[in-house]
Amino acid sequence: AQSNWRPQWQPDKSTKTCSTCSKRFNVLQRRHHCRHCGRVICGSCGKNKHRVSLLKFGYHEPVRVCVSCHERCTQAEELMAAISGNGFVALEALLDAGADPNFSTLVFTPFMHAAAKGHTKLMQLLGERGADTAYHVPPLDAPVQVECEGCKRRFSAPFNSKHTYACEGCNHATFEASEAHACVGMSALHAAAARGQTKACQWLLQVRERETERVTET
Ligand SMILES: [Zn+2]
Ligand SMILES: [Zn+2]
Ligand SMILES: [Zn+2]
């Protein structure tokens, strides 16, 4: 399932070998961490070409991930692209190939993305394949990554609702609207309503009504 919590990093000292290829670490073979699962990996298992941006964790620029997380994230990106293009056949093929309907690298889940786009046929398909239709974006404990507009220094700060962060170096206040933090508590219905997708809203409300009826009948 979707999680918007940054993973805890596996402690360096807990392992002498790469969690992916089992190569031993030494002075030349240094430890790195997968930003998606937090496991310790070697440099060749977290290559430059394996970088992905993980907006759900507040990483806007591509970050290092392990080989298996890279595969999972790439498949998730393809799934989201199919939804963006209203590609029913493409989406079905990805789900048949084992893509997780509840996993994305973005703040929205695939189902929320389909709702925001107003693609009700895709919402139906995702629901049938086990998408969590009641998902709400959970609170994010990850700090906001800020680049100072004044001195260009990068720093991280705890989220604040004014989206304004004072630089520790030059004291300049930078506005940084973190998408992940701004979406906390959002559901598919919020996503559809925010984009004026009336059909998707109606569809979601009908599903909810049917579920309520089923609960009260039994
Ligand atoms: Zn390795
Ligand atoms: Zn990983
Ligand atoms: Zn500054």
Side-chain angles (χ1 to χ4, degrees):
Q2 177 87 345
S3 162
N4 291 48
W5 297 77
R6 275 191 194 177
Q8 286 232 306
W9 280 10
Q10 181 186 355
D12 278 355
K13 282 182 182 151
S14 70
T15 180
K16 289 188 164 65
T17 57
C18 170
S19 63
T20 298
C21 71
S22 304
K23 223 178 274 163
R24 276 189 89 79
F25 293 116
N26 55 46
V27 187
L28 296 171
Q29 195 70 252
R30 297 199 165 272
R31 289 172 172 83
H32 299 278
H33 285 91
C34 170
R35 298 310 192 262
H36 191 266
C37 69
R39 285 187 306 171
V40 173
I41 49 171
C42 74
S44 44
C45 290
K47 285 194 199 96
N48 273 332
K49 62 171 186 173
H50 286 161
R51 281 169 205 236
V52 287
S53 44
L54 298 167
L55 259 67
K56 64 176 175 179
F57 295 153
Y59 294 121
H60 289 255
E61 272 158 44
V63 286
R64 191 191 299 273
V65 291
C66 71
V67 178
S68 60
C69 286
H70 179 255
E71 230 167 76
R72 222 179 147 205
C73 291
T74 307
Q75 197 177 41
E77 283 170 356
E78 286 169 11
L79 196 88
M80 289 306 227
I83 294 167
S84 296
N86 199 9
F88 187 91
V89 176
L91 177 61
E92 198 171 35
L94 284 161
L95 292 168
D96 286 345
D100 183 346
N102 288 310
F103 178 81
S104 87
T105 59
L106 307 177
V107 180
F108 280 9
T109 58
F111 186 77
M112 289 177 78
H113 186 47
K117 290 279 176 187
H119 299 326
T120 49
K121 284 219 173 82
L122 303 195
M123 291 164 73
Q124 174 98 40
L125 175 62
L126 286 162
E128 285 165 7
R129 298 302 183 90
D132 178 5
T133 56
Y135 175 83
H136 287 68
V137 176
L140 194 71
D141 69 342
V144 179
Q145 309 298 316
V146 188
E147 186 181 316
C148 174
E149 285 164 351
C151 68
K152 301 290 168 205
R153 168 200 192 116
R154 282 161 186 261
F155 60 97
S156 58
F159 172 75
N160 74 65
S161 54
K162 287 183 178 149
H163 308 286
T164 305
Y165 303 90
C167 173
E168 295 151 25
C170 71
N171 215 29
H172 178 89
T174 295
F175 181 82
E176 175 65 59
S178 155
E179 197 192 331
H181 290 88
C183 291
V184 166
M186 274 186 101
S187 66
L189 187 58
H190 292 109
R195 282 161 185 80
Q197 303 291 359
T198 42
K199 260 193 202 161
C201 287
Q202 280 166 356
W203 191 91
L204 283 160
L205 291 169
Q206 277 164 9
V207 168
R208 187 183 287 180
E209 225 165 77
R210 256 179 274 141
E211 271 163 14
T212 320
E213 274 168 23
R214 206 170 48 211
V215 171
T216 47
E217 271 167 19
T218 52

